[in-house]
Amino acid sequence: MQAGFFIDRPTSPARPAAKAVTIIILLLVYSGLCWLAFSHSLKNWEQVWGYRVTFLNGWAATIGISAAALLLSTAIGALTALARRSAFLPLRYTAAAYVETVRGLPLLVLVLFGFYGIANAVGWNDRVSVGIVILSLFSGAYIAEIIRAGIESVGRSQWDSARAIGLTPVQTYRFVIFPQVLRQILPPVAGQFSSLIKDSSLLYIIGIPELTFAANQINSATYSTFESFVPLGICYLVLTLPVSLWTKYLESKVRYET
Amino acid sequence: MKILLRGLTKRFGLQTVLDAVNFEAEFAHTLALIGPSGGGKSTLLRLLAGLDAPDSGEILVNGEPLPQDEERLRIHRSHTGIVFQAYNLFPHLSALGNVMLPLTEVHGIDTATARDRAMDVLKRFHLAEHAAKQPAQLSGGQRQRVAIARALAVDPAFLLLDEPTSALDPEMTAEVLDVIVELRESGKPIILVTHEMGFARRSADRVAFIADGGVLECAAAGEFFENPRQPAVKQFLERILKY
Ligand SMILES: Nc1ncnc2c1ncn2[C@@H]1O[C@H](COP(=O)(O)OP(=O)(O)OP(=O)(O)O)[C@@H](O)[C@H]1O
Ligand SMILES: [Mg+2]
């Protein structure tokens, strides 16, 4: 093995074997370090195993909440993006105010205010649905910006060409703008989905039995912090890593085709 | 075909690009618009196309005034073949999809008939083998020919072409000009903005010179190039034909 084995430069790329070897060595080294550091605290598995159903239910809730919020926030984002381009000023400014307010606030503040402030005041007590709506309003503002940037990336010539052949504005959006926007925004929206999965953990603060809530509960019941939180981290990674890889794949695809 | 401009004015901010233009032209096949850059050729063409509205004045095409409201302007555009300098095509659709879109969505023709008609036009321009390709997979000349095919497929009343070859290299320019000559022979009236003086001279019936907010001169092509009356036109031609 030469000294340059682990070096990867555009001018002298590393051999494929070097990448595989690097990954294997690093996996061994880091898992060994983790084992040395934490092995004495990772021994209470039997007791935690008894709570596996709580944990799996939490995981299912996290997936369900994130998926529902993704659908709802995409709808909110699309409508908001259109509203921000509306010719009707009150609508345009309302959308702008919504986006800027939400993007300027921490999600935790929105969750606390939305649940204890607004939902309680109007007597809406179903925590899960409140949680989904708050998460969707939060993520919707970001998706609105993604979609708006996508629409703006479609050149003026496309609008001209669409008008030139006699399409109506609605037809122009449907047949010309949205199909092009969709390809542009798929990678960032997939990234937003990954954020949603992670952000949904904050809903534990209002007592929604999602994944983080479950892990926290198991920790309190068993006093086994590591045995509760290591699986928690792994469960989030199992959800977010594939999404992240998929996002990278989509990005490379869009890049090659344009 | 006959066009009549009556007191036509178009401003962009403080700049008056067309200043109360009165102009009348009757031609059998092709009217070429030439003139210096920034003179207002594209602006006039967009007004004729119904893409922009004039600030005042009116346009009559074959005696019919252009409508004022957007919905009827849209219908006017749908019966006019419009081709810009570049980026006419929708990049997410194939060549065939591009030609079919106005047929099915604007003119309500069923998909099978639209496909046949689109293929016929593409064949006519020797593009049949490229029908399934997306614009990014076509050469610049092929793209412009597809754009002309799309404009022609709806059987427009006339065609408006804004420098359709100025973004192309000489060989591709020739291939697009061939298509325009063929159009001319098929009898569709064409109004063409061009910098190709040789082409304007050979294939236009009439040539109009646009500069300084109006139409400075308009004459039959031969006369226009051999014997321009306005000094500004003379100067322009001398400069442009020098090389
Ligand atoms: N959308 C617009 N907004 C502001 N100014 C414009 C706009 N379109 C055209 N102009 C201005 O109007 C003038 C005429 O432009 P136009 O495009 O009609 O010229 P042209 O004769 O087509 O020139 P070229 O040969 O370079 O295409 C120019 O000075 C241009 O800057
Ligand atoms: Mg121009």
Side-chain angles (χ1 to χ4, degrees):
Chain A
M1 224 182 270
Q2 300 152 331
F5 186 75
F6 294 109
I7 305 295
D8 182 35
R9 288 206 182 89
T11 46
S12 57
R15 279 184 277 164
K19 297 188 175 173
V21 168
T22 307
I23 290 171
I24 291 169
I25 293 177
L26 288 181
L27 273 178
L28 288 174
V29 169
Y30 290 138
S31 48
L33 283 177
C34 287
W35 182 252
L36 283 178
F38 304 129
S39 58
H40 58 282
S41 38
L42 283 170
K43 48 189 183 279
N44 198 8
W45 288 116
E46 291 82 43
Q47 210 186 345
V48 170
W49 181 246
Y51 285 90
R52 63 188 179 283
V53 174
T54 313
F55 199 84
L56 286 177
N57 282 343
W59 201 30
T62 287
I63 295 173
I65 289 170
S66 308
L70 181 73
L71 290 181
L72 190 54
S73 61
T74 305
I76 293 174
L79 291 177
T80 308
L82 287 179
R84 285 203 81 168
R85 296 180 57 86
S86 166
F88 185 55
L89 285 178
L91 190 60
R92 191 194 298 171
Y93 291 162
T94 305
Y98 155 63
V99 168
E100 294 312 327
T101 308
V102 167
R103 295 204 316 156
L105 289 174
L107 177 55
L108 191 53
V109 172
L110 283 174
V111 170
L112 291 173
F113 182 71
F115 184 68
Y116 294 111
I118 296 172
N120 276 4
V122 301
W124 182 8
N125 293 317
D126 178 35
R127 288 161 193 268
V128 173
S129 61
V130 176
I132 289 174
V133 168
I134 294 173
L135 206 53
S136 304
L137 285 172
F138 176 74
S139 168
Y142 289 87
I143 291 187
E145 285 298 277
I146 292 172
I147 294 178
R148 190 168 73 111
I151 293 175
E152 274 161 19
S153 77
V154 177
R156 222 181 85 86
S157 62
Q158 291 292 301
W159 295 90
D160 262 353
S161 295
R163 290 183 70 220
I165 62 171
L167 292 178
T168 64
V170 172
Q171 287 178 322
T172 303
Y173 272 110
R174 176 163 164 215
F175 296 112
V176 177
I177 306 302
F178 278 148
Q180 295 183 52
V181 167
L182 203 64
R183 274 196 23 194
Q184 289 282 331
I185 68 170
L186 223 46
V189 167
Q192 186 62 30
F193 185 38
S194 170
S195 299
L196 258 178
I197 294 170
K198 293 178 286 176
D199 291 342
S200 69
S201 66
L202 283 176
L203 294 178
Y204 102 98
I205 205 93
I206 57 169
I208 292 177
E210 45 72 67
L211 189 56
T212 304
F213 185 87
N216 207 29
Q217 214 178 14
I218 297 166
N219 177 36
S220 318
T222 63
Y223 300 106
S224 314
T225 311
F226 278 95
E227 293 86 339
S228 307
F229 290 141
V230 168
L232 174 66
I234 291 171
C235 279
Y236 277 114
L237 284 174
V238 165
L239 294 179
T240 55
L241 280 183
V243 175
S244 162
L245 290 176
W246 185 52
T247 310
K248 293 234 161 57
Y249 164 74
L250 289 175
E251 272 166 4
S252 68
K253 227 176 120 197
V254 169
R255 205 174 313 129
Y256 291 143
E257 280 176 18
T258 47
Chain B
M1 176 164 172
K2 192 168 146 188
I3 62 167
L4 176 67
L5 313 181
R6 223 183 255 149
L8 192 68
T9 300
K10 180 71 188 173
R11 296 189 198 92
F12 292 107
L14 294 175
Q15 185 189 10
T16 303
V17 178
L18 298 175
D19 193 1
V21 181
N22 292 303
F23 172 66
E24 190 174 353
E26 193 162 0
F27 55 96
H29 301 296
T30 310
L31 169 67
L33 306 179
I34 67 168
S37 183
K41 305 179 294 296
S42 299
T43 304
L44 176 58
L45 211 69
R46 289 179 65 90
L47 293 179
L48 287 166
L51 282 164
D52 292 331
D55 291 296
S56 62
E58 61 175 349
I59 299 173
L60 284 83
V61 176
N62 296 328
E64 288 280 318
L66 243 59
Q68 311 272 330
D69 60 295
E70 174 57 25
E71 179 53 24
R72 281 167 59 219
L73 276 174
R74 186 182 69 75
I75 293 165
H76 166 74
R77 293 195 293 270
S78 73
H79 297 296
T80 307
I82 303 163
V83 178
F84 305 106
Q85 183 174 346
Y87 306 114
N88 288 283
L89 301 182
F90 304 122
H92 61 296
L93 297 177
S94 65
L96 181 65
N98 266 282
V99 180
M100 282 174 67
L101 184 67
L103 294 174
T104 54
E105 303 309 327
V106 180
H107 298 272
I109 297 169
D110 67 89
T111 311
T113 316
R115 176 171 292 117
D116 290 346
R117 210 203 276 182
M119 277 313 293
D120 282 347
V121 188
L122 288 174
K123 264 184 212 136
R124 189 172 146 199
F125 294 154
H126 312 292
L127 290 161
E129 69 208 276
H130 307 296
K133 289 186 188 167
Q134 301 216 323
Q137 299 164 301
L138 297 171
S139 75
Q142 288 166 345
R143 279 194 283 251
Q144 286 302 73
R145 275 150 58 205
V146 173
I148 294 173
R150 183 177 71 189
L152 196 68
V154 301
D155 193 22
F158 58 97
L159 286 150
L160 299 173
L161 313 179
D162 190 355
E163 302 191 31
T165 61
S166 66
L168 305 177
D169 65 31
E171 200 186 346
M172 291 192 228
T173 298
E175 107 197 357
V176 172
L177 293 182
D178 284 344
V179 164
I180 298 173
V181 168
E182 202 198 309
L183 284 185
R184 179 195 145 91
E185 280 154 14
S186 76
K188 276 279 169 232
I190 301 171
I191 300 178
L192 165 78
V193 176
T194 185
H195 285 305
E196 305 285 335
M197 292 305 145
F199 183 75
R201 181 176 203 158
R202 260 177 289 115
S203 61
D205 310 304
R206 292 191 80 75
V207 180
F209 185 85
I210 296 173
D212 301 331
V215 182
L216 288 195
E217 183 159 347
C218 179
E223 193 189 327
F224 181 94
F225 286 101
E226 253 123 64
N227 198 7
R229 264 168 296 174
Q230 297 283 337
V233 180
K234 245 182 223 154
Q235 231 177 35
F236 175 82
L237 289 178
E238 270 164 19
R239 205 169 50 240
I240 213 164
L241 296 174
K242 197 158 113 197
Y243 299 106

